[in-house]
Amino acid sequence: MGVNGNLMTVAFDNPISQNEVGYACRGDLRLKSEVIRIRGKNAEMQVFEDTSGLRVGDLVEFSSRLLTVDLGPGLLTKIYDGLQNPLPELAEQCGFFLQRGTYLPALDRKTVWEFTPAAKVGDVLRAGDSLGTVPEGIFKHRIMVPFRLQGALKVEEIAPKGSYDLNKTVAKLKDERGVAVDVTMVQSWPVKMPIKCYSERLRPEEPLTTKVRIVDTFFPVARGGTYCIPGPFGAGKTVLQQITSRYADVDIVIIAACGERAGEVVETLREFPELTDPRTGKSLMERTLIICNTSSMPVAAREASVYTAVTIAEYYRQMGLNVLLLADSTSRWAQALREMSGRLEEIPGEEAFPAYLESVIAAFYERGGVVRLNDGSTGSVTIGGTVSPAGGNFEEPVTQSTLKVVGAFHGLSRERSDARRFPAINPLDSWSKYKSVVDEKDVELARRMLRDGNEVNQMMKVIGEEGTSVDDFVVYLKSEYVDAVYLQQDAYHEIDAATPGDRQKYVFSVIVKILKTKMKFENKDSARKFFQQLMQVSKDWNRTAMEVPEFKAIEGRIEKMLAEVTDYA
Amino acid sequence: MHKVYHQIESVAGNVITVKADDVTYGELAQVTSNFGTSLAQVIRLNGSMVSLQVFAGSRGISTDANVRFLGHKMEIPFSDSLLGRVFTGSGVPRDKGPEITENKIAIGGPSVNPAKRIIPRNMVRTGIPMIDVFNTLVESQKLPIFSVAGEPYNPLLARIALQAEVDVIILGGMGLKHDDYLFFRDILEQNGALSRSVLFIHTAADPTVECLLVPDVSLAVAEQFALQNKRVLVLLTDMTNFADSLKEIAITMEQIPSNRGYPGDLYSQLASRYEKAVDFDTAGSITILAVTTMPGDDVTHPVPDNTGYITEGQFYLRNGRIEPFGSLSRLKQLVNNKTRKDHRQIMNTMIQLFAAYKETLEKRSMGFRMSEWDAKLLRYGERFENELMELSVNIPLEQALDLGWQIMADCFEPAETGIPTKLIDEFWPANRKAAVKA
Ligand SMILES: Nc1ncnc2c1ncn2[C@@H]1O[C@H](COP(=O)(O)OP(=O)(O)OP(=O)(O)O)[C@@H](O)[C@H]1O
Ligand SMILES: [Mg+2]
């Protein structure tokens, strides 16, 4: 009927459903597409591939299925595109370039997994309950009653302990109406629907340590919480997520590279297998999964990629694991929506984004959360998304819609990244609703110091250092000190790059003590000199492992320096 | 074999619509009218209505023009005989050489599978200290030069192209002034580099739509050379003209603009070109150096803004110099640990001192008192600007590092630089010009 970019208009005869997947056929070529609007006898479909070569009159095969992903053992360590095509396998088959219309199975059906049953014949289960487990790397991967099944399910047969491939039926269940269901170790689930096989949603309270000090101490993230990182280009969004993907204290990390540079993903996928995860001693890759739909890959699949990622995250949550989903960048996904909305000729909202942008973003972040599963254990999905606002201006629809729904805001600023103050999270206007790893009262004190120091600094720009009192000057120096030795962190130093929660507590208490100390200086120069030296020593402290004697020695030097300037009056 | 259609239903901007059957999306057609023949590409199918973008523009197209569909997408010949030649955006010779027709390849092909990329690892030497020392260019990097109109960005591109050790140079000119085109051709010729170059040139006088083809043909040819194990450098100037052509077409097609008239897919359009930069696992590489002029010197303008979100850093060209602030090579850390062991230290320290110099300048302009330290910084900053930042400086990296040490030694005491003692012991020059007292 019609083709306009990646939008295709199709006339249909048999009933179809919204979001149903169809394939546009041209000779041997089959291009995956999704119904996005139905009007009378016409359906509008977004094609997940380059549409060139299609012609009016070509047939579209409908699949009667929504866009789904395969869920089962073997997902971890994989590198998929937005539609769950395994990229390395695709490269083996097609060579250097992605070839449209080639879809490979997400999970190798022939691989055998060692199954240990957990359910017995006669057990009555619900969707999401465990039937057994298989070892997947460092995890016990639960084989669960398929999420799509409803009501009570009776176990009629269950496979004994043994090795099976993904095609093998490992359990036979009977539902309330007496219908028999064969269950294998893999199930599929539509990506746009949240998995809800749990007993209740809990409030995210437990801190998720990222080991980035400014985050954990000042703008913390909670397990099951959501947060966003908006910032202009080059401010450090991707580097911050890369650090988090390495050091965050979670079981599983899912990286959704959504419409950004391919080169950045290459760094992760070439480096992670070589890095060891300090928690497990195994390769970092074993806890990682990458969904990679970079900027030159098809735009519609970019939109699908974040849903593919969050669905897999929910799947592992169902096993009682803590999953962190990092999406870079959610703006690219919003732009994919905008492109499609434009082709559909919908009435545009601000900056031509569709009017429903806000609800789509809200629904996505809503899929994060901590849940109590039916067996009493808990699992969580934490979502962190970067935002790339046009012109670096946060007053734009994607940033604003995101800020309404997330629990923490890590706003990166151009001034800080230009000054190489990394991570460039602006301490003055970022916020978090979650609990810090340190005492909140201390955080408040440090925050006030940062604000006051900033004011003094602004004032000095007008009246010069000469016109500033020594006391005010010390406030400024203290704020610069906290900034330099605590907020800033060297991402490339082996010790400084990651500060565990207990170390943050310890170090921060010393910093707070320094901030609280009333100091006496003869003049501004001696104050400046003191703080320069203190900064130098404190930075050495940051670069020293907590276990070595040197750590205590440096702490002693800091105490001594402090005593020398303390005003006991 | 191909049907010819005579009835043009509408003409708007450079887009014409005809009624036709059996047309495929994206295919090419030949449009012939009294004023000549042009290629056109199908950009929309709506029932039997086919919209085409006419490469030569729609000026003079009559309602009874001939439209003959060719049954394939835009293609470009590829062979070694392209080397040394100049073409238009649609692949027609612009020099006096013969038309090349062999071995046609499609343009705008699919993207590289990320699993087949490798982490870039080779430095591209340019002889420009502001690049080599402070923001090293890396093979397979995609990097724009942000600049206002009037800056010498084309001579800079040409110079980098001539100094870089690459096998093939592809120049894609968009909206180029005719003089600039001749400048590129002559300078490549004079330096004996034309024989390893291919030029695709769209000048300001040529039809807008051809401007859109330039990056695609340039990169398609680059890709073929790279697959033959060649290191290819692609120069694209000026990508803002490319973006403006996109804008023009989008407006003709009555698309809803997202930002200052630019279409909502500007990011994707730019990215699909820049992402062609690649270091192939087991083959050659493509490095892209582009020019993005900033209207009104405004980096938040949609073109530089979207570009910055795509590329791996940027060089700011201002007042004939590459600015140390704002300029960034995001890939430099992949190579600058393998050059010389003082490289990173020089890079960091000299920039920090330069930042301090800038603060001093500001203080001075506010009328605040200058200390002895300020005087040292002023001396340092001036030498930095003249001896390292000046674009006329052309020295290898090692010499630039040595010069950096010398400048610091002439202006400061070792301890004032904050450089670790070990490096000071090894590199601090013994012969220093006695520091003049402030
Ligand atoms: N924590 C850090 N420590 C040191 N350098 C950093 C840090 N974060 C960022 N950088 C520097 O800034 C550059 C850009 O960072 P990054 O790629 O994360 O930016 P971004 O915000 O993701 O930009 P874009 O929106 O264009 O993707 C890096 O290449 C690096 O040079
Ligand atoms: Mg980024």
Side-chain angles (χ1 to χ4, degrees):
Chain A
M1 282 286 308
V3 183
N4 175 17
N6 61 350
L7 179 74
M8 168 172 83
T9 313
V10 185
F12 60 92
D13 309 316
N14 298 321
I16 58 166
S17 40
Q18 173 73 331
N19 298 114
E20 183 170 339
V21 169
Y23 293 86
C25 304
R26 161 118 286 254
D28 287 342
L29 194 64
R30 294 169 80 247
L31 302 180
K32 201 169 188 170
S33 326
E34 181 189 18
V35 176
I36 51 172
R37 187 161 76 184
I38 304 174
R39 283 211 289 209
K41 282 274 125 195
N42 287 343
E44 277 151 324
M45 305 184 71
Q46 62 173 344
V47 186
F48 293 118
E49 309 271 8
D50 174 12
T51 50
S52 51
L54 290 182
R55 83 175 68 186
V56 173
D58 285 344
L59 285 181
V60 175
E61 269 172 28
F62 285 93
S63 68
S64 322
R65 285 169 50 147
L66 304 184
L67 187 66
T68 57
V69 287
D70 283 350
L71 301 170
L75 289 168
L76 294 178
T77 75
K78 282 280 185 343
I79 299 141
Y80 290 123
D81 74 2
L83 301 174
Q84 217 194 3
N85 268 305
L87 288 172
E89 286 80 354
L90 216 55
E92 258 169 49
Q93 187 165 327
C94 310
F96 285 121
F97 297 95
L98 296 168
Q99 195 175 303
R100 63 181 177 154
T102 312
Y103 306 109
L104 297 178
L107 295 168
D108 180 12
R109 305 282 163 148
K110 299 268 158 53
T111 312
V112 290
W113 297 90
E114 170 136 353
F115 178 74
T116 308
K120 305 180 301 294
V121 173
D123 283 355
V124 178
L125 305 174
R126 276 166 297 172
D129 288 351
S130 180
L131 291 165
T133 58
V134 301
E136 180 185 15
I138 45 184
F139 301 100
K140 252 191 185 167
H141 185 118
R142 278 188 205 167
I143 305 300
M144 294 170 273
V145 175
F147 306 140
R148 62 168 199 283
L149 300 180
Q150 287 168 359
L153 296 140
K154 198 162 152 211
V155 181
E156 301 269 294
E157 278 176 40
I158 181 108
K161 190 174 167 68
S163 293
Y164 310 109
D165 67 22
L166 294 184
N167 288 324
K168 159 88 181 170
T169 300
V170 291
K172 286 182 192 279
L173 309 175
K174 191 165 269 175
D175 74 7
E176 285 165 354
R177 289 170 301 160
V179 180
V181 191
D182 286 355
V183 179
T184 64
M185 291 194 277
V186 58
Q187 58 171 315
S188 63
W189 183 260
V191 293
K192 293 203 176 147
M193 292 198 199
I195 298 171
K196 288 196 165 157
C197 303
Y198 49 80
S199 63
E200 60 173 329
R201 266 186 85 150
L202 308 170
R203 200 209 295 256
E205 293 199 307
E206 206 188 322
L208 185 163
T209 11
T210 62
K211 304 197 182 124
V212 176
R213 292 187 291 261
I214 185 170
V215 171
D216 299 344
T217 299
F218 285 82
F219 310 107
V221 178
R223 285 192 171 159
T226 54
Y227 69 105
C228 68
I229 312 175
F233 67 76
K237 300 179 290 296
T238 304
V239 172
L240 189 55
Q241 284 210 334
Q242 281 170 342
I243 300 168
T244 310
S245 68
R246 284 186 190 195
Y247 302 116
D249 191 11
V250 289
D251 297 311
I252 288 172
V253 176
I254 298 182
I255 298 170
C258 172
E260 292 285 307
R261 303 170 187 83
E264 293 166 346
V265 187
V266 176
E267 277 181 39
T268 305
L269 63 90
R270 300 264 169 187
E271 280 172 4
F272 271 33
E274 317 291 320
L275 296 170
T276 39
D277 179 359
R279 285 167 14 117
T280 60
K282 295 285 176 51
S283 141
L284 255 185
M285 207 58 204
E286 289 201 12
R287 72 159 197 181
T288 312
L289 188 155
I290 302 173
I291 308 289
C292 167
N293 215 98
T294 50
S295 58
S296 61
M297 290 163 76
V299 174
R302 194 194 286 172
E303 196 235 331
S305 70
V306 293
Y307 293 105
T308 298
V310 76
T311 307
I312 295 173
E314 287 173 337
Y315 176 63
Y316 280 97
R317 177 201 67 197
Q318 291 298 121
M319 298 175 203
L321 297 172
N322 294 306
V323 187
L324 172 62
L325 166 60
L326 298 170
D328 186 13
S329 158
T330 61
S331 292
R332 306 303 165 215
W333 148 57
Q335 288 177 345
L337 287 178
R338 174 167 75 184
E339 283 184 32
M340 198 40 73
S341 168
R343 297 217 170 87
L344 290 170
E345 294 174 359
E346 293 170 339
I347 296 165
E350 216 182 317
E351 290 186 21
F353 282 106
Y356 45 80
L357 177 73
E358 198 169 308
S359 59
V360 170
I361 289 177
F364 172 70
Y365 281 102
E366 198 48 37
R367 292 179 72 168
V370 198
V371 300
R372 190 184 317 285
L373 300 169
N374 294 335
D375 70 355
S377 61
T378 57
S380 67
V381 171
T382 309
I383 303 179
T386 67
V387 186
S388 316
N393 179 0
F394 294 172
E395 299 298 321
E396 58 89 44
V398 184
T399 313
Q400 291 304 318
S401 308
T402 307
L403 284 179
K404 282 191 193 160
V405 294
V406 293
F409 161 56
H410 301 161
L412 304 190
S413 89
R414 167 67 71 217
E415 290 85 78
R416 285 184 75 83
S417 69
D418 275 352
R420 320 299 296 159
R421 295 185 176 209
F422 290 118
I425 298 173
N426 186 339
L428 299 176
D429 49 43
S430 297
W431 49 259
S432 166
K433 295 178 186 160
Y434 304 119
K435 259 207 318 267
S436 170
V437 299
V438 309
D439 188 346
E440 296 286 349
K441 280 203 298 294
D442 287 348
V443 177
E444 199 34 58
L445 178 119
R447 208 172 275 164
R448 201 171 50 239
M449 191 64 74
L450 288 166
R451 269 197 304 270
D452 294 350
N454 179 56
E455 268 172 34
V456 175
N457 190 24
Q458 295 305 326
M459 207 161 64
M460 276 197 300
K461 285 199 179 127
V462 185
I463 57 174
E465 214 176 286
E466 294 103 303
T468 310
S469 73
V470 177
D471 283 351
D472 278 353
F473 194 62
V474 169
V475 168
Y476 162 70
L477 289 173
K478 280 182 174 175
S479 74
E480 284 290 297
Y481 172 74
V482 184
D483 193 341
V485 308
Y486 202 83
L487 302 186
Q488 294 171 46
Q489 204 169 339
D490 183 352
Y492 303 111
H493 188 273
E494 56 166 333
I495 306 287
D496 197 27
T499 311
D502 50 355
R503 179 168 176 151
Q504 290 188 39
K505 281 196 194 109
Y506 191 87
V507 172
F508 196 63
S509 68
V510 174
I511 304 264
V512 167
K513 194 171 145 201
I514 294 171
L515 296 183
K516 282 182 177 164
T517 304
K518 197 156 176 277
M519 300 176 186
K520 199 173 155 170
F521 295 104
E522 261 172 40
N523 53 33
K524 278 171 252 169
D525 277 344
S526 60
R528 187 195 339 256
K529 198 151 190 197
F530 168 77
F531 274 99
Q532 270 172 357
Q533 281 163 354
L534 187 65
M535 233 180 247
Q536 204 54 48
V537 177
S538 306
K539 278 186 177 170
D540 287 344
W541 204 33
N542 282 340
R543 294 191 203 103
T544 309
M546 219 171 164
E547 300 74 38
V548 300
E550 179 75 2
F551 185 82
K552 276 281 164 204
I554 298 180
E555 188 181 347
R557 275 169 62 200
I558 293 175
E559 305 246 315
K560 193 157 152 273
M561 288 175 75
L562 193 62
E564 282 166 11
V565 297
T566 303
D567 181 1
Y568 295 100
Chain B
M1 164 187 143
H2 294 292
K3 252 210 207 142
V4 177
Y5 295 86
H6 290 286
Q7 186 62 38
I8 309 259
E9 305 282 331
S10 74
V11 180
N14 296 318
V15 178
I16 61 170
T17 305
V18 292
K19 243 192 172 126
D21 301 319
D22 258 6
V23 173
T24 65
Y25 186 73
E27 88 173 83
L28 283 188
Q30 213 163 39
V31 181
T32 313
S33 69
N34 301 340
F35 290 89
T37 297
S38 167
L39 287 177
Q41 186 179 19
V42 175
I43 55 170
R44 189 169 199 162
L45 295 176
N46 187 7
S48 58
M49 292 301 215
V50 179
S51 302
L52 298 123
Q53 183 170 289
V54 184
F55 292 170
S58 60
R59 203 164 304 149
I61 288 194
S62 52
T63 48
D64 62 350
N66 278 340
V67 179
R68 193 166 67 90
F69 289 93
L70 303 179
H72 61 79
K73 284 182 71 174
M74 176 71 191
E75 292 173 333
I76 187 91
F78 174 75
S79 77
D80 280 349
S81 52
L82 290 178
L83 293 168
R85 300 289 313 273
V86 189
F87 303 90
T88 67
S90 40
V92 179
R94 202 180 249 288
D95 52 15
K96 301 207 173 69
E99 180 125 24
I100 300 174
T101 48
E102 69 221 81
N103 190 24
K104 297 256 190 175
I105 54 160
I107 68 164
S111 64
V112 174
N113 188 325
K116 296 298 273 183
R117 287 172 180 264
I118 53 174
I119 301 183
R121 56 191 192 283
N122 301 320
M123 168 180 177
V124 177
R125 284 172 175 266
T126 67
I128 299 168
M130 293 315 290
I131 297 177
D132 292 355
V133 177
F134 299 101
N135 280 301
T136 321
L137 183 63
V138 179
E139 184 178 338
S140 88
Q141 191 161 16
K142 42 184 178 288
L143 206 90
I145 297 168
F146 286 172
S147 127
V148 288
E151 291 284 340
Y153 44 79
N154 285 331
L156 178 61
L157 275 193
R159 202 174 132 197
I160 294 173
L162 291 174
Q163 312 237 50
E165 291 166 341
V166 293
D167 302 315
V168 177
I169 300 166
I170 312 253
L171 172 70
M174 288 152 283
L176 216 55
K177 285 200 217 83
H178 203 263
D179 292 353
D180 288 338
Y181 151 51
L182 295 179
F183 159 78
F184 274 114
R185 193 195 59 189
D186 295 347
I187 197 166
L188 289 170
E189 174 108 68
Q190 285 152 15
N191 289 276
L194 195 59
S195 57
R196 54 187 169 100
S197 306
V198 188
L199 279 61
F200 293 98
I201 305 291
H202 165 268
T203 69
D206 300 327
T208 318
V209 186
E210 279 194 8
C211 179
L212 289 178
L213 296 170
V214 168
D216 287 337
V217 294
S218 306
L219 291 161
V221 168
E223 209 158 67
Q224 293 302 317
F225 279 119
L227 288 172
Q228 297 181 351
N229 261 321
K230 299 273 198 305
R231 287 168 301 169
V232 187
L233 174 64
V234 179
L235 310 174
L236 297 173
T237 175
D238 166 356
M239 286 299 277
T240 304
N241 290 333
F242 168 77
D244 285 342
S245 302
L246 281 175
K247 174 164 100 174
E248 203 180 309
I249 300 292
I251 289 173
T252 320
M253 295 297 289
E254 292 173 3
Q255 282 179 26
I256 303 144
S258 67
N259 204 335
R260 294 200 226 178
Y262 289 91
D265 65 354
L266 180 61
Y267 173 86
S268 301
Q269 293 285 0
L270 290 171
S272 68
R273 274 82 188 187
Y274 280 114
E275 282 281 312
K276 292 274 177 196
V278 62
D279 205 342
F280 281 116
D281 187 4
T282 68
S285 68
I286 301 177
T287 309
I288 301 179
L289 210 54
V291 167
T292 299
T293 49
M294 297 186 290
D297 200 11
D298 175 12
V299 68
T300 69
H301 179 280
V303 180
D305 186 48
N306 278 286
T307 304
Y309 276 119
I310 293 163
T311 52
E312 289 152 337
Q314 64 280 329
F315 294 149
Y316 279 91
L317 185 63
R318 187 162 289 144
N319 303 324
R321 293 163 172 171
I322 295 173
E323 276 282 316
F325 306 116
S327 294
L328 175 69
S329 159
R330 298 200 195 184
L331 302 187
K332 64 182 171 189
Q333 66 274 7
L334 298 176
V335 297
N336 63 11
N337 54 346
K338 291 174 277 195
T339 46
R340 212 169 86 175
K341 69 176 170 213
D342 56 332
H343 185 164
R344 284 188 175 178
Q345 190 66 49
I346 289 280
M347 166 180 98
N348 289 326
T349 306
M350 291 199 82
I351 291 298
Q352 276 158 11
L353 290 169
F354 190 72
Y357 157 71
K358 285 283 190 191
E359 273 174 32
T360 294
L361 282 184
E362 208 167 299
K363 272 201 273 181
R364 190 170 66 175
S365 70
M366 303 272 292
F368 295 140
R369 205 177 52 232
M370 293 285 97
S371 65
E372 198 175 317
W373 174 243
D374 287 322
K376 287 184 176 188
L377 285 172
L378 289 171
R379 207 157 46 234
Y380 166 80
E382 219 163 278
R383 288 197 59 187
F384 186 94
E385 285 177 344
N386 293 333
E387 294 171 44
L388 289 169
M389 273 173 78
E390 236 5 282
L391 268 190
S392 56
V393 179
N394 187 356
I395 46 177
L397 169 73
E398 291 70 19
Q399 206 179 320
L401 293 175
D402 291 343
L403 178 59
W405 283 109
Q406 191 63 50
I407 294 175
M408 285 193 290
D410 291 347
C411 301
F412 305 110
E413 295 301 321
E416 289 170 334
T417 61
I419 298 176
T421 326
K422 259 199 185 145
L423 282 174
I424 295 275
D425 289 346
E426 188 171 345
F427 290 98
W428 195 261
N431 60 326
R432 32 187 311 218
K433 292 187 197 126
V436 199
K437 273 267 174 278

